[in-house]
């Protein structure tokens, strides 16, 4: 047996990151339900859909707005980044959190982006950074308080959320505190095992790009308040990545507000828990939003 990463051979490393195989009913139990609920939400909640933040047809975002007029300084907002291992999924399946988020008085913003292998991982991440810039530029137009923009993301979206939290926004012409908080959910923080497993057939990273895009290697002292969440019943590698990233934040002097491992929750059920107002994760999200 040839080891290629830690104590994994190729087959073992592929299995260690295959969330769909680990949750066989993921499509019917979660993905299809989220998509159906999201379609209904887009009819029920006031929203502006498919706003272009860049030239690609997939560089689009939806803004869901609470009822009533916006306060003079704008509202806090949650920018949600979908997962799909950087090669699948779309914002249209993730409108479903809008009612509970807008119920706090905050905007809910769902963004999508181009996918691998159509674009590189570097381009994909730059697109989402551009979305943050667009939101700041158009804050008044959409009723956003740009000082209260929080990002959350699941799985690959968790990787993107962490990357955004450690971006040097001042170097891009934005306020240094362009984000008021981050909640990466079941994220990937070291991309080296991704480079070495089956996912890289689409992501096409070399060692240099994987290192450059790994949040655990680029922790910024001025990062916003962060909450890390992972399901306790997820694949052990995802739990390890969250633990390692939390420890690296502590070592860098920017400890997370919380590192929460949800007992019994898998890679998909943990998303439902995050957006349950009666659930244990909701106070963490509301705390970041200041709602």
């Amino acid at each position: 047996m040839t080891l290629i990463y830690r104590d994994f051979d190729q087959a073992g490393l592929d299995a260690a990151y295959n969330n769909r195989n680990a949750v066989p009913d993921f499509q019917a139990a979660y993905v299809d339900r989220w998509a159906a609920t999201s379609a209904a939400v887009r009819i029920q909640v006031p929203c502006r859909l498919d706003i272009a933040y860049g030239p690609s047809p997939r560089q689009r975002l939806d803004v869901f707005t609470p009822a009533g007029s916006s306060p003079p300084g704008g509202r806090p907002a949650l920018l949600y980044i979908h997962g799909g291992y950087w090669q699948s999924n779309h914002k249209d399946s993730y409108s479903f959190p809008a009612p509970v988020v807008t119920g706090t008085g905050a905007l809910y913003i769902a963004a999508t982006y181009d996918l691998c292998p159509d674009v590189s991982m570097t381009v994909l991440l730059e697109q989402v950074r551009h979305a943050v810039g667009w939101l700041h530029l158009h804050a008044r137009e959409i009723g956003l308080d740009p000082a209260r923009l929080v990002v959350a993301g699941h799985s690959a979206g968790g990787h993107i959320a962490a990357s955004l939290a450690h971006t040097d926004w001042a170097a891009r012409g934005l306020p240094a505190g362009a984000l008021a908080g981050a909640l990466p959910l079941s994220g990937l923080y070291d991309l080296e095992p991704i480079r070495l497993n089956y996912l890289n057939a689409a992501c096409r990273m070399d060692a240099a790009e994987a290192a450059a895009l790994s949040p655990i290697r680029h922790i910024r002292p001025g990062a916003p308040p962060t909450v890390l969440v992972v399901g306790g019943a997820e694949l052990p590698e995802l739990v390890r990545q969250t633990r390692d990233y939390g420890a690296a934040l502590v070592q860098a002097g920017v400890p997370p507000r919380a590192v929460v491992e949800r007992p019994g929750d898998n890679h998909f059920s943990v998303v439902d828990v995050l957006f349950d107002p009666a659930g244990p994760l909701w106070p963490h999200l509301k705390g970041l939003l200041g709602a």
Side-chain angles (χ1 to χ4, degrees), residues 115-211:
L115 300 174
C116 300
D118 293 337
V119 298
S120 69
M121 288 280 283
T122 297
V123 168
L124 182 157
L125 186 54
E126 281 302 303
Q127 286 186 348
V128 187
R129 286 181 172 130
H130 189 72
V132 173
W134 188 97
L135 290 170
H136 273 261
L137 183 64
H138 296 270
R140 180 174 297 182
E141 171 190 337
I142 64 173
L144 165 67
D145 177 353
R148 293 190 289 169
L149 176 61
V150 173
V151 63
H154 173 241
S155 194
H159 160 260
I160 295 169
S163 299
L164 296 178
H166 295 279
T167 294
D168 183 353
W169 295 110
R172 296 166 180 266
L174 294 179
L179 295 175
L183 197 155
L185 182 69
S186 306
L188 294 309
Y189 308 105
D190 181 357
L191 298 187
E192 180 62 6
I194 305 301
R195 181 183 74 86
L196 296 171
N197 71 25
Y198 75 103
L199 295 164
N200 207 39
C203 297
R204 297 173 297 139
M205 293 182 291
D206 60 17
E209 186 177 35

Side-chain angles (χ1 to χ4, degrees), residues 1 30 45 60 143 199 223 250 273 281:
M1 181 175 69
Y30 302 103
V45 179
R60 297 291 185 268
L199 295 164
V250 170
V273 176
L281 300 180

Side-chain angles (χ1 to χ4, degrees), residues 15-290:
Y17 283 87
N18 195 325
N19 293 301
R20 295 183 173 191
N21 279 358
V23 186
D25 65 343
F26 78 96
Q27 188 71 38
Y30 302 103
V31 177
D32 292 346
R33 171 170 54 84
W34 292 339
T37 304
S38 293
V41 162
R42 289 193 293 276
I43 298 171
Q44 298 162 359
V45 179
C47 55
R48 292 178 56 192
L49 303 176
D50 293 317
I51 302 170
Y53 69 83
S56 163
R58 284 187 60 98
Q59 286 181 271
R60 297 291 185 268
L61 54 84
D62 299 337
V63 178
F64 295 83
T65 309
S69 58
S70 178
R75 301 180 185 275
L78 178 66
L79 170 62
Y80 186 77
I81 311 297
H82 67 78
Y85 268 153
W86 309 277
Q87 55 191 289
S88 67
N89 258 332
H90 193 278
K91 65 175 175 57
D92 287 359
S93 294
Y94 296 91
S95 307
F96 70 88
V100 293
V101 175
T102 60
T104 70
L107 303 175
Y108 176 73
I109 304 167
T112 200
Y113 44 86
D114 282 327
L115 300 174
C116 300
D118 293 337
V119 298
S120 69
M121 288 280 283
T122 297
V123 168
L124 182 157
L125 186 54
E126 281 302 303
Q127 286 186 348
V128 187
R129 286 181 172 130
H130 189 72
V132 173
W134 188 97
L135 290 170
H136 273 261
L137 183 64
H138 296 270
R140 180 174 297 182
E141 171 190 337
I142 64 173
L144 165 67
D145 177 353
R148 293 190 289 169
L149 176 61
V150 173
V151 63
H154 173 241
S155 194
H159 160 260
I160 295 169
S163 299
L164 296 178
H166 295 279
T167 294
D168 183 353
W169 295 110
R172 296 166 180 266
L174 294 179
L179 295 175
L183 197 155
L185 182 69
S186 306
L188 294 309
Y189 308 105
D190 181 357
L191 298 187
E192 180 62 6
I194 305 301
R195 181 183 74 86
L196 296 171
N197 71 25
Y198 75 103
L199 295 164
N200 207 39
C203 297
R204 297 173 297 139
M205 293 182 291
D206 60 17
E209 186 177 35
L213 301 184
S214 293
I216 199 168
R217 301 185 184 215
H218 303 282
I219 295 173
R220 187 172 59 88
T226 297
V227 174
L228 302 178
V229 178
V230 68
E234 297 207 42
L235 290 167
E237 269 294 278
L238 273 79
V239 177
R240 178 194 66 78
Q241 286 234 12
T242 296
R243 291 174 178 172
D244 287 356
Y245 183 54
L249 290 174
V250 170
Q251 186 174 7
V254 286
R257 283 192 178 181
V259 181
V260 183
E261 295 182 19
R262 277 289 306 153
D265 275 305
N266 64 47
H267 188 68
F268 300 93
S269 66
V270 73
V271 178
D272 285 334
V273 176
L274 175 61
F275 292 112
D276 178 2
L281 300 180
W282 187 246
H284 292 293
L285 180 54
K286 283 188 68 178
L288 291 174
L289 287 168

